[in-house]
Amino acid sequence: MTTAPERTAVRVELLVDQRWFAICDLTDLIPGRGVAALLPDGTQVAAFVDRAGRPYAIDNRDPFTGAYVLSRGLVGSAQGRPFVASPLLKQRFDLETGRCLDDETVTVQAYAARVRDVAPARGVARGRDVASARDVAPARVA
Amino acid sequence: MSAPEPAPATPTIVLVGHGMVGQRFLEALADHKVTETARVVVFCEEPRPAYDRVQLTSYFSGRTAEDLSLAEDGFMVRHGIELRLGDPAESIDRAARTVTSRSGLTVGYDTLVLATGSYPFVPPMPGKDSDGCFVYRTIEDLLAIEEYAKNCASGTVVGGGLLGLEAAGALKGLGLTTHIVEFHPRLMALQVDEGGGAALRRTVEDMGLIVHTGVGGKEITADGTGAVTSMALSDGSSIDTDLVIFSAGVRPRDQLARDCGLEVGERGGIAVDERCRTSDPAVYAIGECALAADGRVYGLVAPGYEMAEVAAGAIAGAATDGFTGADTSTKLKLLGVDVASFGDAHGTADGCLDVVYSDARAGVYKKLVVGADGTLLGGVLVGDAEAYGMLRPLTGSVPPVAPEQLVLPAGLGAPAALGPSALPDEAVICNCHNVTKGAIRAAVTEHGCTTVPEVKKCTKAGTGCGSCVKALTSLVNDELEASGVSVDKGLCGCFGYTRAELYEIVRTLRITSYAQLLDSHGRDGARQGDGCEVCKPAVGSIIASLAPTLGASGYVLDGEQAALQDTNDHFLANLQRNGSYSIVPRIPGGEITPEKLIVIGEVARDFGLYTKITGGQRIDLFGARVDQLPRIWARLVDAGFESGHAYGKALRTVKSCVGQTWCRYGVQDSVRMAIDLELRYRGLRSPHKLKSAVSGCARECAEARGKDFGVIATASGWNLYVGGNGGADPRHADLLAQDLDDEQLIRLIDRFLMFYIRTADRLERTSAWLERIEGGLDHVRDVVVDDTLGLCAELEAMMADHVAGYRDEWAETLDDPERLRRFVSFVNAPDAPDPTVKFVPERDQVKPDLTVLSGPAIPVRTLEGTASR
Ligand SMILES: Cc1cc2nc3c(=O)[nH]c(=O)nc-3n(C[C@H](O)[C@H](O)[C@H](O)COP(=O)(O)OP(=O)(O)OC[C@H]3O[C@@H](n4cnc5c(N)ncnc54)[C@H](O)[C@@H]3O)c2cc1C
Ligand code: SF4
Ligand code: FES
C-alpha cells in the first residue's frame, strides 16, 4: 500500500474471539453492498456497510444452498432493521442478529463490527465506535 | 356403396358438421360423460377439424390455421370420437336410421345431430362463376383469395354487412383498391340505423375504401380467359375490378334435412323445438342451420353454443333449460371502427323514444332506445363503443342515471358515476360465455380470485370476443376493494408506487439517484432507510434505462448504481449454484467467425470452464471464480467480444435462421436484420429480459413468434410480432404490423420497446404486460403505430439516446482499476482463490463439487409475493 503516512485510514474491524480484527478499509465497502473476508482461522465472513455508514458482518455461507455467497447479496432495511438478501434464493438475513427473516428456524453467525480511525503517523489507534450498541459479544447463535 | 353396418350394440350418436357449434356440442357431450358410453361419429366436410370462424379474418394478420383451431390437442382420441375429415354426409335414411357419406360409408345412428351451419348466398348475377369470384366462409376460401389477389389491383365486395366489411378490410390489407357494393341505403343495415350507418360510412371512406350504397351488382364481365374484369351496377355505372367477394348474407344449410323429409322453415332452417329436436325426435339440429323455437335463425355463434349445450343436455337426459331465443347484441371492431348494437336497436317497440348523440366530424354516433317508462330497450354505438360493456347488461331495466348521460362523451358533463357496480347481480356481463355479474363477484368473494386473469380463468368471462374485459376489470377491482382485500399495487415494502409510476417520477423529476427517490417518494417508514432487494434493482434498472436521456451515467458499476444491482449485474456475470459465475459473450444474430469460435474454445480450455450452447445461439462458459472474471474477459475483449448481458434484465439475443443468403426458401436476409437489431438494442435495460428472433420466411425456423419481439420476413418486407414467450407459460406473439420496410420495422420496434419499458411492472414480460394493460394489443397498436397518445417522437428519441450512449460494460470495467478491485474473492486476501468453489469431472468437462458445500436441502422461497410484506 502506498498511502501517505500522515493520512488517517478508517478500518472496519470485527470482534473475533474477544479481539478486534481489521478486515479492510471502510473505502473498500460500497454502502449497500458487501465484501467477503477471511478470518485468521479460514472462516469466511460477509461484511457490509449501510447507507449511514454503519458496519455489519455475518457468516458468508448461505445456509440454504451451502454456497459462500452472502457477501454478494443486496442490503436493505425492514422495519428499521438492516438485512441482506441472499443472491441465490433471496432469503433475507438480519445483519445484526444473523436471523433469517423468511425462516425463523435458520440463523447464521453474526459478528460485532465497528469502524476505527487509524492514524499511522502517530502509531496510536484512536477508537471511534460508530455504533456502540453493537460493540458487544456476537449475537447468540442458534 | 358398402352394406349398412349391423345394428350397433352401443348407442351411436352421429354428428353432421364439425364447425364451431359442432365442436361445442362434442365438448358438452364429453362434459356429460356421454362419450364414455356411446359411440360418436362425426362427418366433417372441411379438410380440417373445427376452427374459430369468428376470427377467420385474423388469418390475414398472421394467425395460422393451427392458431384458429378449436379442438384441443388429443380431444378426439381422449374421448374416443371418430372424426371423418373431408367426408361430408350425403344422405340420411330416417326409416333405417342411417347416414351415408360421400366416401360411401353408412353409419347407423340412435341419435343424429345436424350442425351444418350456413352457406354464403350468391345473388343470381350473370358472370358470378367467373374466375376471381369468391365467397368468404372457410379457411380454404381465404387461401384461394390470398393466392388470387397476388395478381390483382382491385377488388369488390358485394354486401356491406358485417361480413362484407370484414372481407373488404381483408382485401384492403392485401393491397387492393377496394369497393363495397351494398343494396341497402346504408352499411350494416341489419345492425345499425341510418345515423349509425352514415357515421360508419364516413369512417370507412376515410380509410380509402370506396362505398356504393343503394345499388346492386347487375352483371360481372370476364375476359377471354374467364377472369373477372368489371362489374356493372344497377344504376348503370360500372366498376373495374379483378376480384369479387360475395358477402350478401348466408342461408341455412338444410338440404340434407329437406331431402329426408324433415320439417324446414318457409325461408329455410331446420325447424326445432326448445330442446333443439327436429320433427323427428331422433334428430337434432343446432347452430346456424337451425330454425329455433322462437322462429328465428341465428347467425351468431353465442346462440349456437347455447343450442349445443341444450341438445347435449337433452341427449344426456340432464334437466337443462331449453333454448327459447337469444340476445343478438354484438360489438365488433370493423376496419378499426368500433361498432356495437344491442337489444331493440331499431326501436321497433311501441312508444319507444330515441336518445341520440352524434359527432359527424369524429365519426361517432350513439343512439339509445328508451321505453315510455324509461326502460333501456337497446341501442347502436358507432365509432366509440366504450359504453357497450355497461349498456348491454342494463338493457331491460331503468338505468340509474338519465339516458343522455349514458351517451355523452366523458368530459362533456357525463358523470363517471355509472360503473358496472350499478348493475344488478343478474346482469350478464360476458355475453359470449353467459357470465353474470353475480358469478364474477363470487369468483372474488368465494373462489378467492384476486386478479382479472384469475377471474377469467375461473369464470371464462372475457375469453370470447373480449368486449367485456373493461367492465370485468372494473367489477373485479370494485369487488376486491369492497371485500377488504386492499389492492396495494406498490412495488414493495419501500415504495407504494408501481414500477411504471416510479418510471414516470424518475423521468419527469429527472431523479438520478436511488436514495433521492427513496427519501422523496418512499413509503413513510422506508424513507432514509436502506431499501430492499426488490426495489433496488428495479429502480437501478429504471435509472439505467433513462440514464442516456437524463444525462446520468448508464454504467451499472458507477457510484451508487453499483450498490443497486443484483449480484449478476454487479459482477457482470451469472451467479451459479456453487458461487461460481458463468460468462456469455455476445454473438449477434448467432453469427460467429471460426477465429472467434477458437478464442472461446481456448479461453474455456485455459480456465477449465464448462461450455454449453445456449438456446439463444451463443455459448455459455461456466465455472469461473469472481477473481478470474477480469482475466477471462481481457482475453475475450481482446478478441473483439463484448458483454452479452446474459446477467441483466436487458436484451439477451436476437436469434436468426440463415435466411435468403443460404436457404432456398428465404425471402429476406434474416441474419443481417438480426445482427442489426441485436447491435441496436444491446445493453437496453428493461423490466424483464428481452428476447428476439428473425426468420427469413414464413416457415419460421428461428421461432420468432416465441419471442418478446419477433420478425418474420415476407416477400415485401417484414412482419413484426410482439408479446411472445417460451418457458413455462408459452404464448405466441401477436402480429403488430406487416410488410414493413427496414426503417419502418426498426422505428416500430424502438417505440414498442420504449413503451413497454415505460409502462410494464417489475419482472413483467411483454406477454404478461400485453395481457394486463387495458385495451391489450389494440391499445399498444394505437399508441405505437397510430400514435394516438402523441408519444412516438419521444419514444424514438429515447431509443436514439440509448443507441448513442451504449458502451460495452466489460471493456469499461477492464479499463478502470478501481472497478477491477471489486473482482476478488476476499477483500483481505486479494490473491487467494475461494476454496469452496471446486469442481469434479463429468462427461469430459467439469461440474460443481457440491460436497464442499454440503448442507441441508431447504425449500426455495420464490420471488413472488414479496410486495405484500
Ligand atoms: C368471417 C366471419 C366472421 C364472423 N364473425 C362473427 C362474429 O363476430 N360474431 C359471431 O357471433 N358470429 C360471427 N360469425 C358467424 C359464426 O362464424 C357462425 O355463427 C358460427 O360459425 C356458426 O357455427 P355452426 O357450427 O353453426 O356453423 P359452421 O361453423 O359454419 O360449421 C358448419 C360445418 O358443417 C359443415 N357441413 C355442412 N354440411 C355438411 C355435411 N353434409 N356433412 C359434413 N359437414 C357438413 C361445414 O363444412 C362446416 O364446417 C362470423 C362468420 C364469418 C364467416
Ligand atoms: S425460416 Fe425460411 S428462410 Fe429461414 S431457414 Fe427456415 S425456411 Fe429458410
Ligand atoms: S362478451 Fe365476449 S368475451 Fe365476454
Side-chain angles (χ1 to χ4, degrees), chain B residues 16-22 43-46 53-54 56-57 88-89 115-118 136-137 162-163 166 253 256 286-288 299-302 332:
Chain B
V16 178
H18 191 227
M20 299 189 71
V21 173
F43 289 105
C44 175
E45 177 184 54
E46 293 187 58
R53 207 177 301 285
V54 171
L56 190 64
T57 303
T116 48
S118 308
Y136 198 82
R137 175 104 195 152
L162 190 156
L163 291 187
E166 246 188 77
R253 289 188 72 171
L256 267 182
I286 54 178
E288 286 194 342
L300 293 172
V301 73
L332 310 143

